[in-house]
Amino acid sequence: MVRWRRHLHQHPELSFREKETSQWIADRLEELGCEVRGNVGGHGLIATIKGERPGPAVALRADIDGLPIQDEKECEYASKVPGVMHACGHDGHTAALLAVADFYSRNRDHLAGERRLLFQPAEEVTPGGAIEMIKDGALEGVDVIYGVHLWTPLPYGSAASRPGPFMSSADEFIIDIEGKGGHGGLPHGTIDAIVAGSALVQGVQSIVSRNVNPLHPAVVTIGSFQAGTTNNVIAERCQLKGTVRAFDEGTRFLIHDRLESLVRHTCEMYGAKHVYHMRVGYPPVVNDETEAERFFKIARPIFGDEQVLEAEAITVAEDFSYYLNQKPGCFMFVGAGNPELGAVYSHHHPKFDMDERAMLHSARLLIGMAEGYADDYPDRQ
């Protein structure tokens, strides 16, 4: 796994461009004796391993894309691709799932049912690769699906998940405001885009505090406000960019509606024109209650009782949510942080790294979840 992960780390590819990565994974899977289908939803791969005995079809997923970040680590396996690196652990996810493929290929005679391994492209960029793989039949006939994210905020040797809402949706918006520019000393003949935009920034803060049920967590953030050129010219245009995060679809789209209405009425109040665009991203990750219970049962013998945690809901997004909208399953975090190894940087940081031993934990957890489900499967028939 370490050898595989380090090769991938040195040769990352961006979302929707994972052609060489996909071919390399396919070559490894074929060496392991797996049945491989390529070009699934783009550069995705499906490895199918069928057992000698009847049983369920269990899907396990890893993502394969890198990020547009310059690798700043000083190590022998640093990225060789300028401006691109695996800064989120997808190389480790892929290596761990290859190890799972190796395990099942060696144990077909003990396997009940089918294990379908999904190597998914384009997790980092909406609309994402999951939805395209689903359209291409990745979940046809599948009974349940599991996924693991190696997570450096958790220390090595631990794992976490939770039933129900786990990770938030993530939507992006852009607001362009057009007023009427003019001399800074003659404001009465202008429509100040900065004033309209500033009022909008203030108004947006009331959406969560005054429109959203306080028991339903949500975030609306404006992260960019661009306007003006100098001190004595009233700006004719400004642009605001932001994000919306929520854990249920009702809250999510309530915020969308309120934001659109607020933009329209604020701009009308100041006499400005506007163009509003909302880019709908990934829905919330919502774990199946039964499969989350299975996580706690399976993880404790692997990690120890005290190292298996109920995670807090987190306002970052994952397109694993699309799979969970179609099939029961569970998404899980496996701790990969270790200060002694320098694995202390957050995901998407130029110096991101992980404790590579966590890949073995990830593989064991995925296999444990799949076999736990298979053990219970006859009771479902």
Side-chain angles (χ1 to χ4, degrees), residues 80-365:
K80 295 181 179 180
V81 182
V84 184
M85 73 173 288
H86 276 290
C88 202
H90 295 187
D91 50 345
H93 302 167
T94 299
L97 197 58
L98 284 171
V100 172
D102 187 16
F103 172 83
Y104 279 124
S105 294
R106 295 172 186 269
N107 292 279
R108 292 176 191 267
D109 53 338
H110 300 294
L111 178 60
E114 174 188 330
R115 303 296 174 266
R116 191 177 302 178
L117 312 184
L118 311 182
F119 293 85
Q120 179 206 303
E123 187 278 328
E124 295 287 1
V125 177
T126 56
I131 196 166
E132 294 303 319
M133 289 195 72
I134 292 169
K135 290 177 182 177
D136 219 351
L139 294 182
E140 289 180 6
V142 165
D143 294 287
V144 69
I145 184 166
Y146 304 113
V148 165
H149 203 306
L150 296 166
W151 196 245
T152 56
L154 282 177
Y156 167 75
S158 61
S161 190
R162 64 180 290 115
F166 182 18
M167 304 175 77
S168 72
S169 61
D171 305 314
E172 305 167 0
F173 60 85
I174 299 175
I175 305 163
D176 289 294
I177 298 175
E178 181 181 349
K180 181 181 178 183
H183 195 288
L186 301 170
H188 54 286
T190 70
I191 298 173
D192 193 334
I194 289 178
V195 170
S198 299
L200 188 56
V201 171
Q202 294 296 314
V204 163
Q205 305 312 308
S206 70
I207 293 177
V208 171
S209 66
R210 289 298 175 268
N211 297 124
V212 172
N213 185 328
L215 299 180
H216 297 172
V219 174
V220 181
T221 292
I222 292 179
S224 174
F225 189 131
Q226 302 293 326
T229 56
T230 189
N231 66 302
N232 64 344
V233 175
I234 290 175
E236 184 170 3
R237 294 179 176 84
C238 75
Q239 184 181 78
L240 294 80
K241 297 180 180 180
T243 184
V244 175
R245 311 279 167 139
F247 289 95
D248 68 87
E249 296 292 75
T251 298
R252 181 189 191 189
F253 291 106
L254 167 67
I255 293 172
H256 287 200
D257 291 342
R258 290 296 301 128
L259 184 57
E260 188 278 332
S261 178
L262 188 64
V263 171
R264 176 163 42 87
H265 289 296
T266 300
C267 290
E268 286 177 357
M269 181 172 65
Y270 285 95
K273 299 176 183 178
H274 75 279
V275 176
Y276 168 77
H277 175 69
M278 174 67 75
R279 183 176 184 178
V280 177
Y282 305 153
V285 172
V286 182
N287 283 333
D288 180 83
E289 300 275 343
T290 300
E291 298 312 318
E293 289 178 10
R294 188 184 311 282
F295 159 76
F296 291 103
K297 176 183 176 182
I298 297 296
R300 288 189 179 108
I302 299 173
F303 297 90
D305 290 352
E306 295 183 358
Q307 298 303 313
V308 178
L309 312 171
E310 179 162 340
E312 294 183 353
I314 183 171
T315 48
V316 297
E318 239 285 352
D319 74 345
F320 194 82
S321 55
Y322 288 115
Y323 301 117
L324 294 176
N325 282 351
Q326 299 288 324
K327 300 290 180 177
C330 187
F331 196 61
M332 304 158 282
F333 285 170
V334 165
N338 189 337
E340 294 181 3
L341 300 178
V344 296
Y345 296 96
S346 65
H347 293 254
H348 296 211
H349 190 282
K351 293 186 178 180
F352 174 85
D353 207 350
M354 69 175 73
D355 189 326
E356 292 172 313
R357 295 176 298 169
M359 293 186 291
L360 181 56
H361 280 155
S362 176
R364 291 181 67 193
L365 181 58

